């Protein structure tokens, strides 16, 4: 349980960083803050003193307490060493180590430092990460959005970066409600090629497992539907299994139920990514479903887990390290004052044949 004064510090800091309180604006009086937070005057004063020491507030005798932006120069005193913030959903698993390696490699070439945070695809953790980056006074920012297919309550923080002229770029996805430059895989094309590959092998009963709180999942679903439409195959809702960040922990059980219920309706499955593809492989082993003879499977992203699995998964490429490098290069060029930088970049996926697809 954090002390009451710390709660006030965190709340006022959030209001400053998200633009509720603007620089130079007077904050409520001590008695108003006492009333608002239901605390003693001493607790309020302790919080204000701490925020003043950190450079978020300045007090003027006989006038009141005002929002300051001193915290930016305090945290970034060494102007020679530029710091780029990087916020990703995950750090240590799946394709993320490769992306971060690409970012780091490019930043090192120009002696930029990297400040890294992850959100675990949770908007509350994204809020903390954004506040940290703003408090630290990063010179630029690379962000992989959190739950990018849902409304994001942290938009105000991104607008603060814009107001402060801190360049930022998004990778893997973007917030559709923000005008923001991005580097993404062409996710529609990735799933489209996966589905088309199965259709070309004679499959007509093709299912999909997709993650629907991220933009990638929405677009991968779109590619699947597009390929079915072109081949005059009917889209059937019962051939779709969707999941999100919260239900991912039950994915194995849900895949098992999905396969048992639809065993006669499926000869192939397009998977959201390689992680899901290998989960399907595991479940098929439990259910004695032969791969690829009874069920063909295609993953996406060509991740290291697909390369190291005991079955060679058919998958599609993802730029990974190149995407990280390109995003870092974009931020560096922006900080160097380069004009006419791309606002949207899509990488084209390529099919990699494995052992998990067979002619029907």
């Amino acid at each position: 349980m954090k002390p009451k004064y710390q709660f006030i510090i965190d709340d006022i800091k959030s209001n400053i960083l998200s633009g509720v309180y603007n620089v130079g604006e007077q904050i409520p009086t001590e008695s108003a803050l006492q009333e608002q937070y239901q605390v003693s005057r001493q607790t309020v004063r302790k919080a204000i003193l701490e925020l003043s020491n950190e450079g978020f507030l300045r007090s003027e005798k006989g006038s009141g307490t005002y929002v300051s932006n001193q915290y930016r120069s305090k945290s970034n005193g060494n102007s020679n060493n530029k710091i780029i913030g990087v916020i990703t959903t995950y750090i240590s698993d799946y394709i993320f180590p490769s992306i971060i390696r690409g970012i780091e490699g490019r930043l090192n070439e120009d002696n930029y430092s990297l400040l890294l945070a992850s959100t675990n695809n949770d908007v509350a953790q994204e809020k903390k990460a954004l506040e940290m980056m703003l408090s630290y006074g990063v010179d630029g920012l690379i962000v992989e959005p959190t739950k990018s297919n849902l409304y994001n309550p942290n938009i105000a923080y991104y607008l603060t970066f814009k107001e402060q002229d801190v360049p930022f770029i998004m990778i893997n996805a973007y917030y559709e409600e923000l005008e923001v430059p991005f580097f993404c895989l062409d996710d529609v094309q990735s799933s489209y090629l996966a589905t088309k590959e199965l259709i070309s092998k004679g499959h007509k009963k093709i299912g999909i497992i997709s993650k629907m709180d991220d933009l990638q999942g929405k677009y991968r679903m779109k590619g699947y539907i597009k390929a079915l439409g072109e081949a005059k195959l009917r889209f059937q809702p019962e051939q779709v299994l969707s999941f999100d960040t919260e239900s991912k922990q039950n994915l194995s059980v849900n895949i098992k139920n999905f396969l048992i219920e639809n065993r006669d309706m499926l000869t192939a499955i397009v998977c959201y990514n390689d992680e899901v593809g290998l989960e399907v492989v595991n479940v098929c082993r439990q259910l004695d479903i032969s791969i690829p003879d009874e069920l063909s499977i295609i993953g996406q992203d060509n991740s290291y887990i697909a390369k190291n699995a005991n079955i060679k998964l058919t998958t599609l490429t993802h730029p990974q390290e190149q995407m990280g490098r390109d995003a870092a290069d974009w931020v560096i060029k922006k900080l160097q004052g380069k004009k006419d930088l791309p606002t949207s970049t899509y990488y084209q996926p390529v099919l990699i044949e494995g052992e998990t697809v067979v002619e029907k």
Side-chain angles (χ1 to χ4, degrees):
M1 186 78 176
K2 62 182 169 187
K4 288 177 180 174
Y5 77 91
Q6 189 61 51
F7 179 81
I8 300 170
I9 289 171
D10 292 347
D11 200 41
I12 291 176
K13 210 181 269 188
S14 286
N15 284 334
I16 292 169
L17 296 172
S18 64
V20 174
Y21 296 153
N22 293 312
V23 174
E25 187 181 322
Q26 189 172 2
I27 67 162
T29 61
E30 286 183 5
S31 52
L33 291 171
Q34 269 182 266
E35 184 71 31
Q36 184 181 338
Y37 295 107
Q38 294 293 294
V39 293
S40 67
R41 178 159 289 208
Q42 189 186 357
T43 302
V44 168
R45 283 184 171 166
K46 190 169 184 181
I48 287 173
L49 181 65
E50 186 70 35
L51 285 161
S52 299
N53 289 339
E54 288 183 34
F56 285 91
L57 296 175
R58 58 179 172 81
S59 295
E60 289 183 12
K61 256 201 165 73
S63 173
T65 304
Y66 298 83
V67 176
S68 168
N69 61 0
Q70 278 297 105
Y71 67 90
R72 299 209 309 250
S73 53
K74 270 177 184 285
S75 56
N76 205 357
N78 180 8
S79 57
N80 297 330
N81 185 17
K82 294 216 178 295
I83 296 169
I84 306 302
V86 176
I87 302 174
T88 55
T89 49
Y90 305 99
I91 288 176
S92 57
D93 48 351
Y94 201 51
I95 58 175
F96 299 100
S98 299
I99 293 172
I100 293 163
R101 191 163 54 245
I103 293 171
E104 203 165 22
R106 179 63 190 92
L107 293 180
N108 285 344
E109 288 170 18
D110 280 49
N111 293 318
Y112 282 70
S113 299
L114 179 149
L115 182 64
L116 189 58
S118 71
T119 68
N120 287 311
N121 219 31
D122 176 84
V123 289
Q125 288 186 47
E126 183 192 41
K127 178 176 185 259
K128 278 186 187 169
L130 289 164
E131 287 183 356
M132 179 185 82
M133 297 297 174
L134 282 162
S135 298
Y136 209 87
V138 294
D139 298 283
L141 190 65
I142 298 167
V143 179
E144 189 206 18
T146 290
K147 294 187 175 173
S148 50
N149 196 30
L150 305 178
Y151 162 70
N152 186 279
N154 298 321
I155 292 297
Y157 292 97
Y158 290 104
L159 297 175
T160 300
F161 280 112
K162 277 193 172 182
E163 283 160 19
Q164 293 181 6
D165 283 331
V166 176
F168 65 91
I169 190 153
M170 296 199 165
I171 54 172
N172 276 333
Y174 52 90
Y175 294 125
E176 291 181 306
E177 57 269 51
L178 268 183
E179 287 291 318
V180 57
F182 59 82
F183 285 94
C184 290
L185 177 73
D186 188 337
D187 291 295
V188 175
Q189 184 70 357
S190 185
S191 239
Y192 171 77
L193 290 176
T195 313
K196 212 172 162 185
E197 170 71 3
L198 293 167
I199 292 166
S200 74
K201 293 278 198 284
H203 290 271
K204 289 186 170 60
K205 301 176 181 175
I206 304 165
I208 186 169
I209 301 173
S210 200
K211 187 170 187 287
M212 295 315 291
D213 53 351
D214 287 325
L215 211 53
Q216 296 98 307
K218 172 173 146 177
Y219 287 148
R220 290 179 181 191
M221 177 75 82
K222 190 175 177 180
Y224 162 79
I225 293 168
K226 180 185 171 189
L228 289 184
E230 282 183 10
K232 304 281 190 289
L233 293 174
R234 197 162 67 84
F235 172 80
Q236 300 188 66
E238 55 272 25
Q239 292 179 339
V240 175
L241 175 63
S242 65
F243 68 100
D244 59 21
T245 304
E246 284 68 37
S247 63
K248 190 184 172 193
Q249 59 190 6
N250 305 319
L251 191 58
S252 181
V253 173
N254 292 338
I255 289 172
K256 187 179 276 188
N257 294 336
F258 177 65
L259 291 179
I260 290 168
E261 285 165 24
N262 300 293
R263 196 156 181 171
D264 299 333
M265 288 186 59
L266 295 169
T267 63
I269 296 180
V270 174
C271 297
Y272 171 67
N273 61 16
D274 295 338
E275 204 176 2
V276 173
L278 292 172
E279 196 58 64
V280 174
V281 169
N282 291 336
V283 172
C284 284
R285 285 184 181 136
Q286 293 167 32
L287 297 174
D288 284 330
I289 297 172
S290 169
I291 296 168
D293 301 331
E294 290 178 73
L295 190 70
S296 288
I297 298 167
I298 296 190
Q300 296 182 70
D301 294 337
N302 189 30
S303 62
Y304 78 92
I305 60 169
K307 293 170 191 166
N308 297 325
N310 52 14
I311 186 168
K312 194 170 185 301
L313 196 64
T314 299
T315 186
L316 287 107
T317 56
H318 183 291
Q320 297 179 30
E321 198 163 332
Q322 187 63 48
M323 176 190 276
R325 188 177 174 80
D326 291 346
D329 188 63
W330 188 96
V331 172
I332 289 169
K333 282 179 176 161
K334 192 77 173 169
L335 287 168
Q336 289 169 346
K338 295 271 185 353
K339 300 277 189 273
D340 303 323
L341 291 171
T343 54
S344 61
T345 302
Y346 287 104
Y347 301 88
Q348 291 308 306
V350 176
L351 186 90
I352 297 175
E353 289 186 11
E355 311 166 332
T356 56
V357 173
V358 74
E359 292 264 357
K360 199 65 197 160

